[in-house]
Amino acid sequence: MQPPTSEDFENERKAHAAHKKFMIEKYGENAFISLDFEGVCGAYEPVNIEVTQEQYDYAKDMWE
């Protein structure tokens, strides 16, 4: 699995914007939108950490 690229992020942003627009058009300005993607992006600072396969396997085993 590869980390998301800038293109992946932009595609996700566009998809959320389209959904938000649809919801507002259908239900009005007070439409309930469970994820304000733009709001999250404004407050989010990405943290990139690399996990080895061994660490991943260990965490997966612990989760199960």
Side-chain angles (χ1 to χ4, degrees):
M1 181 175 206
Q2 297 296 319
T5 65
S6 295
E7 183 180 347
D8 294 332
F9 176 82
E10 191 61 27
N11 289 340
E12 196 68 20
R13 188 189 68 73
K14 287 178 183 177
H16 279 275
H19 175 70
K20 184 175 182 177
K21 181 180 178 193
F22 167 79
M23 293 294 286
I24 290 171
E25 287 172 354
K26 184 163 181 143
Y27 299 106
E29 287 295 322
N30 292 325
F32 178 76
I33 301 166
S34 62
L35 174 62
D36 179 3
F37 193 77
E38 293 296 327
V40 170
C41 292
Y44 176 72
E45 286 188 40
V47 175
N48 294 319
I49 56 172
E50 295 199 16
V51 177
T52 65
Q53 187 65 45
E54 183 179 316
Q55 291 169 319
Y56 172 81
D57 292 339
Y58 177 75
K60 185 177 174 191
D61 289 342
M62 296 300 287
W63 184 260
E64 295 171 348

